[in-house]
Amino acid sequence: MPHIQAAKSEDSEKLELLHWLNSHLNRCNYEAVSSLEGAIADGITLIRICRAILNEEPPRHAHRPVVLIQRVENLQVAVSWLRDRGVSIPNIHIEDLASNNTKSALALCRALKIYDVAHSNRTGKSIHIGVCQRVYI
């Protein structure tokens, strides 16, 4: 029975994080994702979320990653970008993210959401206008 409850808890967390992720993607006029599995793997969705949260243009990256090395490089760019901005990221292997490891994707999304909530609370209420422009009131 505890195993079933843990699975339900993980599923509800996935849905909560997916809703949070899509709310940021929608605010920036990006296409929503249907599941966390695979959404992070190419680095593009992660870079878009970073852009929405940090309100900055992303570093140079592959816009249409085709091969594994491009996906890994995109993920490295995004994770470095986040760490440089003070986002506390758990010890996640980039290769795990690139290979659709659900637990790694969840851990990363959890860290991003924690940063986003803390940052929004610290700076005041944010309003998104246009494409990823934030105005704080």
Side-chain angles (χ1 to χ4, degrees):
M1 197 67 158
H3 179 66
I4 293 171
Q5 288 177 331
K8 286 182 181 180
S9 177
E10 185 175 300
D11 286 343
S12 64
E13 182 183 24
K14 281 184 195 176
L15 288 174
E16 180 185 332
L17 289 171
L18 184 64
H19 177 73
W20 170 82
L21 184 87
N22 281 328
S23 70
H24 282 291
L25 291 173
N26 290 334
R27 286 183 188 141
C28 294
N29 298 322
Y30 292 127
E31 188 176 326
V33 294
S34 57
S35 72
L36 289 177
E37 289 83 2
I40 303 294
D42 66 0
I44 296 298
T45 301
L46 180 57
I47 287 172
R48 289 175 176 171
I49 289 298
C50 294
R51 182 176 183 213
I53 292 171
L54 300 173
N55 198 30
E56 296 177 15
E57 286 300 314
R60 193 175 183 139
H61 63 282
H63 293 276
R64 292 189 181 107
V66 178
V67 294
L68 178 62
I69 190 69
Q70 290 173 319
R71 294 193 317 254
V72 169
E73 287 173 353
N74 278 355
L75 290 164
Q76 287 173 333
V77 164
V79 169
S80 293
W81 188 25
L82 289 166
R83 284 189 174 133
D84 290 347
R85 301 306 179 278
V87 179
S88 177
I89 297 180
N91 190 17
I92 295 173
H93 296 283
I94 298 297
E95 294 80 12
D96 289 342
L97 292 170
S99 63
N100 294 326
N101 182 297
T102 303
K103 290 188 184 227
S104 294
L106 281 172
L108 181 60
C109 288
R110 236 181 266 120
L112 287 171
K113 185 175 179 186
I114 289 167
Y115 173 84
D116 183 44
V117 169
H119 183 72
S120 293
N121 289 340
R122 204 172 41 242
T123 59
K125 187 176 180 181
S126 67
I127 301 172
H128 295 263
I129 57 175
V131 180
C132 291
Q133 294 178 344
R134 286 186 180 186
V135 176
Y136 294 97
I137 58 172

